[in-house]
Amino acid sequence: MLMAMAKPSVSELWLRPCGRVPLAPRLRLVCFPHAGGTAQAFRSWPERLPPGTGMFAVQYPGRQDRFSEPLIDDIDGLTGPLVAALEPFVGEPLVLLGHSMGAFVAYETTVELERRHGRVVDQLVVSGVCPPHRKPPHQVHRQSDEALVADVRRVNASFADLLANPELMRVLLPMIRADYRLSETYRRDEPVPVEARLLAAGGIEDSEVGRQGLLAWSSCAAGHFEVLVQPGGHFYLFDDADAFTASLAERLPGGALWSPAG
């Protein structure tokens, strides 16, 4: 008799462990990928983080081991199940980090977790984007495949090279368009401040957001707020993961730059 496969929990469905996660982690760091990104983007980080850190990365539907699932192109469709995936960690030290599109998803997830449970996210790290009430309007998701690929190339030439392969393009382009649609249609007219400590980070050569755009995230902070700018472009945190994770480690709970009163 064949045994039925156990259905994964909502946490197992949405969150991928990065490396070996301690049984009782000192803190949990959950990372939200950029448009077109996957949980694999953060695979090299655990070895660079302080001992005792349990690291997870979000796996959005429609890619890698979730390829057969429908793509989600609106932010509510992501934040609802992600809140459910993170609720088992409520009461434990928790840090959410999102890059580019992932920053919007991490922010909205924090807003909803706090609405339900109060201050349960110790720190929110948003990277590579302006806050939702300051983001400029774009409609690239409505344009032709050629225009979409050109914009991908502008931001991430190495990813655009994959799209030169017709077979990969047929697989990847719908995912990228859905992510662009999510990012470009998402907006808040007024910021909602979060109680979590807020760190806005970016690359000094990033054409997507400058220092003033990062500073604008201060409107989304009810308490401690900091800006971190490092060398590099839009993907500075992956291009020099050693530098970014070192700066991040200092700012994580228990790090050299962390103050409990903040």
Side-chain angles (χ1 to χ4, degrees):
M1 179 181 296
L2 294 176
M3 296 183 64
M5 295 290 289
K7 184 178 180 180
S9 68
V10 65
S11 297
E12 292 169 334
L13 181 64
W14 285 85
L15 306 178
R16 299 290 174 272
C18 297
R20 185 185 297 272
V21 175
L23 290 177
R26 182 179 64 84
L27 67 87
R28 295 181 191 270
L29 170 64
V30 180
C31 297
F32 296 66
H34 52 280
T38 70
Q40 285 291 101
F42 302 94
R43 64 186 180 279
S44 69
W45 282 22
E47 63 193 43
R48 297 177 164 95
L49 294 172
T53 302
M55 184 174 163
F56 298 81
V58 172
Q59 190 74 294
Y60 304 130
R63 59 209 76 194
Q64 291 188 326
D65 58 334
R66 301 188 69 184
F67 181 75
S68 62
E69 298 177 45
L71 294 163
I72 295 176
D73 60 5
D74 69 279
I75 202 158
D76 291 340
L78 290 180
T79 55
L82 280 166
V83 167
L86 291 168
E87 282 183 320
F89 303 149
V90 165
E92 303 177 15
L94 180 62
V95 176
L96 305 188
L97 179 152
H99 178 62
S100 199
M101 180 191 83
F104 296 144
V105 184
Y107 167 67
E108 288 295 334
T109 301
T110 301
V111 168
E112 181 60 17
L113 279 169
E114 290 191 348
R115 187 188 70 80
R116 297 186 190 187
H117 304 287
R119 183 177 176 173
V120 293
V121 176
D122 294 271
Q123 184 176 33
L124 170 63
V125 183
V126 290
S127 169
V129 285
C130 295
H133 64 290
R134 290 283 299 275
K135 61 194 289 284
H138 293 295
Q139 295 290 320
V140 179
H141 71 277
R142 293 180 176 273
Q143 297 180 19
S144 66
D145 289 351
E146 292 75 16
L148 183 58
V149 171
D151 198 73
V152 172
R153 181 173 290 109
R154 177 184 63 83
V155 178
N156 186 359
S158 62
F159 195 91
D161 288 344
L162 296 176
L163 300 178
N165 182 315
E167 292 185 5
L168 285 176
M169 184 171 176
R170 282 194 293 272
V171 172
L172 296 176
L173 205 58
M175 175 186 71
I176 296 169
R177 189 177 294 280
D179 287 354
Y180 264 64
R181 184 180 298 112
L182 185 151
S183 294
E184 293 178 344
T185 58
Y186 165 63
R187 185 176 177 85
R188 277 189 179 271
D189 293 331
E190 297 293 334
V192 176
V194 295
E195 297 292 333
R197 292 167 63 103
L198 182 55
L199 171 64
I204 196 169
E205 299 167 9
D206 188 354
S207 61
E208 298 299 290
V209 59
R211 185 175 181 84
Q212 290 304 310
L214 296 175
L215 284 168
W217 277 100
S218 63
S219 299
C220 300
H224 180 93
F225 174 73
E226 182 184 0
V227 167
L228 172 65
V229 179
Q230 295 202 292
H234 188 59
F235 289 99
Y236 71 99
L237 70 172
F238 301 121
D239 293 338
D240 192 346
D242 286 335
F244 178 72
T245 52
S247 296
L248 177 65
E250 293 181 318
R251 292 163 171 82
L252 290 174
L257 300 182
W258 179 273
S259 58

